Amino acid sequence: MTTESSNDLIASLENPFAEKQEREFRVPGQVDSKPGLYEKALKHGWELQQRPYTAAGVKSTQRQHQKHRMTIWERIECLADEAPTVLYQNWGPNLDGASLVTALIKVNGRDVALYGHDFTVRAGSMDATNGEKLARLFEFAAKRKIPVVGLNDSAGAYIPAGVGGLDGYADAFTALRKISGVVPSIMCMFGFNAGGGSYLPRQGSFLIQPNETFFGLTGPGVVKSVLGEDVTPDELGGPRVHSQSGVTDFVVPDEVAALRKVRALLAYLPSYNGEQAPHQPSSDPVSRKTWDIDILLKKAFNSPTGFNTPVDISILIQQLCDHGDFLEIQPERARNTITALGRLGGNVVGFVANNSSVASGQIDIDAAYKNARFIRFCNLYNIPIIFLEDTTGFLPGKEQESRGIVQAGRAMLDSIVDLRTPRFLVLVRNAFGGAYASYNNYPTGADFVVALPTTRVAVMGPAGVEYVYKDELKKIRGAVKDRIARETDAQKAAGLDDSAAKAAAEQLVGDWVKAEEVLLAQRYEQELMNPDEALSLGSISQIVMPSDLRQVLAEHMDFCLRHYEPTPLQSVQREFH
């Protein structure tokens, strides 16, 4: 039936003329009898079972679909292997779950604790009872050592609940923080979330945000009323904003893609902090030659720009991983560094890699914090890390210094020093100065350091010529004046007038200075920008051919993991930036 407003149109598959049949509760094989108190109790119990599923009604469900969003039950069905075990299903005064679903589900055969806001009931808002319900779920996950998945779609605190809504969030915040580092958690942001609905999911290990969604401390309306600033939800708290700041770890096209990302990410994570990530046998042999690394480096370094040619480090990660499969974390933030999870010989491994194809792989503030967060996560959950180094150092400049690059660099260095899991360093090309000293070498605790033949380790890059050969350069530049005078006389003798002779002399002497500087730069590279000294000091274990890199790393990683006992982090809690 159509009414005056299309919003009042209710879609339904039910036949309005069909006779409604009462649900009967019979025991198969028993003689029919008149229903009594027992059947009445069963009927009431069945209605209670159905109430969380039917509380929204068709109209609210249709409204949710018109926003291109799934209901919480559809999201669970998409994510879980089978029907969920709903916990506290009739929580709340209306016995409908109070707009929050908590459940135990299976994902890829693994137990997972799940919560999700039911936006079709009270806009998924939070009151005091909901906070306790969430706290119980988090405590349950930690006790049973299973990961947590959150499907967030909430308007925030339930205003009629008053302070009770804020207390509810406080309960949830506290409980989630207490299990942080005990079990991993993955949060999805659906719909339009504000206030506490933003804080809670960001307490999780990873956050996934689809396009056409928003979350932030306040909405555009509040910004307009307080600051007089016109801003769209996407400009204020959309995926483009949060992916650049690191608030969001993954941006995906839609809700289905978000739920698939949850399944993919869980495959790389342990269930809790006392075990290793799941091993997955692979048909990709560890002895596979990585010829594509050879080809990449050959084309890059034999090009006209030589060893200054940018290289996309993700190609090396792809070649090292089983079947070339890896999952990049925060792929849209600080592209000058790459953090990723992959498998090497079936073992889950984290990768932290300088990406010289963006800003020469220099480490800036965003890159340092991106690295530090990922390294600390791997440290908590017993995930080994392979560092791929190819950087000319930390990014200099007034803007970086004023924003605190020293503090950001310290955060990265601290996370590396504190790392307890097996960790390797591969020197790909450039490893200069403080970036080398703070990037997982033997003194900072590395278990294995190898270098490709293209490695250039030095206190400074090419600029070091000015300091190492300062006497030679001083002599060359000091001779310029006399050379110009002699060459000017020679040009005059050849028949040029005074001005032409002087110009020609300056050009010739300038070319001579440049040629001498090039020779010193080449000498600097040959004598100092190579792995020789590092090898002689034991700073590098061995030189590895690019085609053998996967085999060398995989075999040594397997050895280290055989002798590594995964346990919860028990070291002293040190200060953290």
Side-chain angles (χ1 to χ4, degrees), residues 298 463 565:
K298 180 179 180 180
E565 184 177 350

Side-chain angles (χ1 to χ4, degrees), residues 208-394:
I208 304 169
Q209 184 179 11
N211 289 326
E212 307 299 327
T213 61
F214 166 88
F215 72 95
L217 299 184
T218 59
V222 175
V223 173
K224 174 67 175 177
S225 63
V226 175
L227 301 176
E229 194 177 315
D230 288 313
V231 62
T232 66
D234 189 59
E235 293 171 337
L236 183 63
R240 183 167 50 88
V241 173
H242 290 316
S243 64
Q244 293 299 316
S245 66
V247 175
T248 291
D249 297 298
F250 301 97
V251 174
V252 293
D254 51 37
E255 293 191 5
V256 173
L259 298 171
R260 287 176 176 169
K261 184 68 75 175
V262 172
R263 295 179 68 92
L265 184 53
L266 276 172
Y268 290 102
L269 306 182
S271 293
Y272 74 110
N273 62 2
E275 68 177 15
Q276 290 183 18
H279 181 274
Q280 184 174 298
S282 174
S283 59
D284 188 2
V286 297
S287 59
R288 168 173 56 83
K289 294 288 187 179
T290 48
W291 292 115
D292 282 356
I293 298 179
D294 253 318
I295 295 170
L296 172 68
L297 299 183
K298 180 179 180 180
K299 287 186 174 181
F301 300 150
N302 285 346
S303 68
T305 50
F307 275 81
N308 295 319
T309 307
V311 173
D312 186 352
I313 202 71
S314 64
I315 296 175
L316 273 72
I317 297 175
Q318 179 203 43
Q319 285 296 300
L320 293 175
C321 290
D322 295 347
H323 300 290
D325 188 25
F326 65 94
L327 180 65
E328 188 173 349
I329 312 297
Q330 295 190 351
E332 298 185 32
R333 180 193 189 198
R335 293 293 301 162
N336 44 330
T337 191
I338 289 180
T339 53
L341 293 168
R343 279 190 168 85
L344 192 61
N347 297 308
V348 173
V349 175
F351 290 91
V352 177
N354 305 124
N355 185 17
S356 64
S357 65
V358 177
S360 300
Q362 288 184 311
I363 303 170
D364 59 10
I365 292 171
D366 289 337
Y369 281 131
K370 176 180 174 180
N371 288 343
R373 178 178 175 82
F374 179 74
I375 293 166
R376 289 192 176 279
F377 176 83
C378 292
N379 194 32
L380 285 169
Y381 293 103
N382 303 292
I383 298 174
I385 299 181
I386 294 176
F387 292 79
L388 302 174
E389 184 166 4
D390 183 15
T391 180
T392 54
F394 286 93

Side-chain angles (χ1 to χ4, degrees), residues 529-542:
M529 289 179 62
N530 56 56
D532 296 3
E533 184 182 10
L535 283 163
S536 69
L537 295 173
S539 300
I540 298 173
S541 289
Q542 58 181 270

